[in-house]
Amino acid sequence: MRSDHTALLLRTRAYSPVLFSVTFSCPELARETAPGQFIMLDIPGRVRPYLRRAYSVADADPERGEVEFLIKTIGPGTEALAALRAGDRVRLLGPLGNAFTFAGIPAGGRVAIVAGGIGAAPFPLLLRALAGAPAGVTVDLFLGGRTVADLALAARFEDIVPGAVHRATNDGSAGERGFVTALFETRAASIAYARVYACGPMPMFGALAPVVARLRIAAE
């Protein structure tokens, strides 16, 4: 059930000068959040940003009571998050939004995650869920960015992707040169994916939509 929570910052992890994660203690939210949902976050006592900001829930561990967010520093709200220290408190309103679904994925099937840059944010929790049901599902991760610096979050996915990890950068500084959607299209031509989960900028969705339509792959 959606509710407002006070959460305590446990730790921050830096992946690059502008990419980092924050993990909070918030047991109720950790129990209730499903993959793909988001929260509205407020840092008490700050004038900017004046309103709460929306962040995808990257991971939620009910046993530890922890909720994690993957963040890119782009403005005063994310800068304020980067400045928090262990023990600081925030307000989290959630969980909000629609969750990813798993209906129709056969046991032993294969699915793809397509992420553009910080669009990787909601996927650790999805991978956690896919590891449990349906049985035997393999997941391939397609991670794209403009340069190698945009792929720093790949470190968060080490050892949790039960399939292949494919990288693409616009300038060719990491992985294959070009758009991640083109890389996915090439691989998907020979792999029968049962589902595609995607998150990223709108141009990425615009490029991906005709690909999944032509290949008749259910996508969220």
Side-chain angles (χ1 to χ4, degrees), residues 100-117:
F100 291 121
T101 62
F102 312 112
I105 300 176
R110 198 174 194 99
V111 304
I113 290 174
V114 181

Side-chain angles (χ1 to χ4, degrees), residues 110-133:
R110 198 174 194 99
V111 304
I113 290 174
V114 181
I118 195 60
F123 292 127
L125 183 55
L126 177 62
L127 285 161
R128 182 191 292 270
L130 287 170

Side-chain angles (χ1 to χ4, degrees), residues 143-197:
L143 183 60
R146 293 174 180 169
T147 71
V148 64
D150 295 322
L151 303 190
L153 288 178
R156 177 61 178 83
F157 294 88
E158 292 176 355
D159 303 324
I160 66 170
V161 178
V165 177
H166 303 285
R167 298 172 175 84
T169 50
N170 295 6
D171 65 357
S173 54
E176 296 198 18
R177 179 185 294 273
F179 296 119
V180 69
T181 48
L183 176 58
F184 167 75
E185 182 176 14
T186 299
R187 296 291 191 275
S190 59
I191 298 175
Y193 286 115
R195 183 74 49 83
V196 174
Y197 299 99

